[in-house]
Amino acid sequence: MKFIPSFVLKFSSPTISTLWISFLVGQSDPFADANADDSSAGSKEYVHIRIQQRNGRKSLTTVQGLKKEFSYNKILKDLKKEFCCNGTVVQDPELGQVIQLQGDQRKNVSTFLVQAGIVKKDHIKIHGF
């Protein structure tokens, strides 16, 4: 049996003493169990809805992360008709295709994407203010 220093048990937090004990037991990665449970969490593909401030009261809503098999132009056409705003699809080298809409349409776009069945509610991240 290995020796556990008394300072580890007396003054340390439970996390540190757990790490020390797991080290002594011979477990190579003390977070191996936690990492195994989170493997499915990283595989989620999120749709990010953001707002960008332009000048004054003008703003721009961007939607990125939709699946590639969707027709961005058809989604944009329905969004423009539904919310009475203008918009465009922009090709970004890092982000791929991004839908841009005039005004703050974050909540509207979120409910539209869920109701249309394009994205599940828990796969949407709304950013801004």
Side-chain angles (χ1 to χ4, degrees), residues 53-122:
Q53 195 68 31
R54 288 187 356 173
N55 46 1
R57 292 176 45 195
K58 307 290 184 186
S59 60
L60 190 69
T61 302
T62 60
V63 181
Q64 73 179 53
L66 292 172
K67 294 183 181 178
K68 303 227 186 284
E69 60 257 12
F70 291 123
S71 173
Y72 282 72
N73 289 325
K74 289 183 181 180
I75 294 173
L76 176 66
K77 183 179 176 182
D78 291 338
L79 288 171
K80 286 167 50 173
K81 193 176 284 190
E82 182 78 21
F83 307 135
C84 300
C85 65
N86 200 4
T88 186
V89 176
V90 177
Q91 181 66 36
D92 189 77
E94 292 178 7
L95 306 174
Q97 289 186 325
V98 178
I99 296 176
Q100 292 182 342
L101 296 169
Q102 287 181 345
D104 185 4
Q105 308 290 344
R106 290 175 292 173
K107 296 226 187 304
N108 296 337
V109 170
S110 173
T111 56
F112 177 84
L113 293 175
V114 171
Q115 288 177 351
I118 297 172
V119 181
K120 294 180 183 174
K121 186 171 179 72
D122 57 339

Side-chain angles (χ1 to χ4, degrees), residues 32-48:
D33 297 334
N35 291 341
D37 296 339
D38 295 339
S39 61
S40 64
S43 64
K44 268 191 182 175
E45 293 291 330
Y46 287 107
V47 174
H48 297 277

